[in-house]
Amino acid sequence: MNLVHKKSEISELGFTVIEKVFSDSEIEKISQVIQDIDTSKETFRKSEDLFAIRQFLKEIPGVRDLIFNENLKTIIKEIFGENYFAVKSIYFDKPEKSNWYVAYHQDLTISVDKKVELENFGPWTTKQNQFAVQPPLDILKNIFTVRIHLDDTDENNGALKIVPKSHAKGIYRPETIDWNVETENICNVVTGGVMIMKPLLLHGSNRTTNGKKRRVIHIEFSDRELPEELNWSERMN
């Protein structure tokens, strides 16, 4: 793994893909733990098009040691730095017949433990007793997102489509994308690979057309402390 090159790719383009971070047997073990869980909790979202688990690392502690293998720990240390910790985690399962698609957007909110009035923090949303807020831009710019792929993913089963370099343009409204100057990339990732991206990178995904499922574990990392009245709701060192 040439992580120096990967680090510069993230900085310049807003994303990179690293293959073979997890072996087939590690992916099998992670899948097994997920299969064995009780899915009736309210942090789980189930529909024909999508199954999602919010606060994934908190809800399924048995998966943590499997996810943070030596490869991933090295990637985090070398690319992000010594002081990064997990601040948000979601598991997405897009089933084989899913019509779920996601329009272009940036990830503009962080998960926190409560709602307090703070300068430059807002707007706020609350879902299932979870508080999300748009923080100041410098906090968003500092976050890295790691997407672990449990299945081969390409344009036919909802691989992320992204606009390279859009992470460097601040808040970028999707309706203002000028396709005369911007390009679209499809981020194909094979089982066991990871995609790393900056949350401000414009991204979306299409419907599944090839009858293959797409399962992804999405984990966000930061090294920033929030104002003292506020805490990251899922902080995990």
Side-chain angles (χ1 to χ4, degrees):
M1 283 192 287
N2 181 356
L3 295 181
V4 175
H5 173 62
K6 296 294 181 187
K7 186 174 181 174
S8 62
E9 256 185 4
I10 297 167
S11 165
E12 185 194 344
L13 302 174
F15 75 100
T16 194
V17 172
I18 304 176
E19 293 186 354
K20 297 185 177 150
V21 177
F22 296 87
S23 67
D24 290 348
S25 69
E26 285 173 317
I27 292 294
E28 190 54 48
K29 283 178 190 159
I30 292 169
S31 303
Q32 197 56 55
V33 172
I34 295 167
Q35 267 167 4
D36 292 345
I37 55 179
D38 166 16
T39 59
S40 60
K41 293 185 179 175
E42 61 172 22
T43 42
F44 298 179
R45 169 181 174 179
K46 266 191 295 207
S47 73
E48 280 182 17
D49 283 328
L50 183 71
F51 171 56
I53 304 171
R54 296 177 185 281
Q55 301 197 24
F56 177 67
L57 294 174
K58 260 189 182 176
E59 291 287 0
I60 306 173
V63 86
R64 288 179 210 160
D65 288 345
L66 297 170
I67 285 174
F68 290 99
N69 68 2
E70 287 310 313
N71 282 344
L72 190 62
K73 287 196 280 202
T74 301
I75 287 166
I76 292 166
K77 200 168 105 178
E78 301 287 322
I79 294 182
F80 309 170
E82 293 278 2
N83 303 318
Y84 271 75
F85 44 88
V87 294
K88 187 179 194 172
S89 57
I90 311 172
Y91 167 76
F92 293 107
D93 177 352
K94 208 182 211 186
E96 293 87 340
K97 295 186 173 62
S98 176
N99 277 320
W100 180 269
Y101 87 100
V102 181
Y104 267 111
H105 66 286
Q106 295 172 300
D107 292 338
L108 295 176
T109 63
I110 57 171
S111 296
V112 292
D113 63 335
K114 58 182 160 312
K115 182 175 180 177
V116 284
E117 292 306 318
L118 284 171
E119 200 178 341
N120 297 325
F121 280 78
W124 289 80
T125 56
T126 310
K127 274 185 205 161
Q128 300 159 323
N129 280 336
Q130 296 186 61
F131 301 95
V133 65
Q134 185 169 324
L137 206 54
D138 66 306
I139 291 178
L140 288 174
K141 283 181 175 171
N142 229 44
I143 292 172
F144 288 92
T145 300
V146 171
R147 292 169 56 89
I148 300 164
H149 285 249
L150 306 184
D151 302 293
D152 291 346
T153 310
D154 60 23
E155 69 275 14
N156 301 311
N157 65 333
L160 273 200
K161 48 185 187 178
I162 57 97
V163 180
K165 303 185 179 180
S166 54
H167 70 298
K169 300 182 180 181
I171 305 293
Y172 192 153
R173 298 289 169 210
E175 61 274 13
T176 66
I177 298 173
D178 179 356
W179 291 112
N180 295 314
V181 295
E182 303 288 18
T183 53
E184 176 175 280
N185 268 33
I186 305 285
C187 297
N188 295 350
V189 186
V190 297
T191 304
V194 304
M195 176 189 176
I196 301 173
M197 60 178 268
K198 302 298 283 176
L200 292 174
L201 186 75
L202 277 165
H203 60 286
S205 67
N206 293 333
R207 292 182 172 86
T208 299
T209 56
N210 65 357
K212 291 183 179 171
K213 67 192 318 182
R214 185 205 77 173
R215 295 167 302 155
V216 173
I217 296 166
H218 168 119
I219 308 175
E220 295 174 22
F221 296 85
S222 176
D223 66 350
R224 287 293 167 92
E225 299 303 337
L226 299 173
E228 58 187 51
E229 311 91 305
L230 208 56
N231 298 295
W232 298 99
S233 66
E234 297 179 54
R235 178 173 184 156
M236 191 171 294
N237 291 332

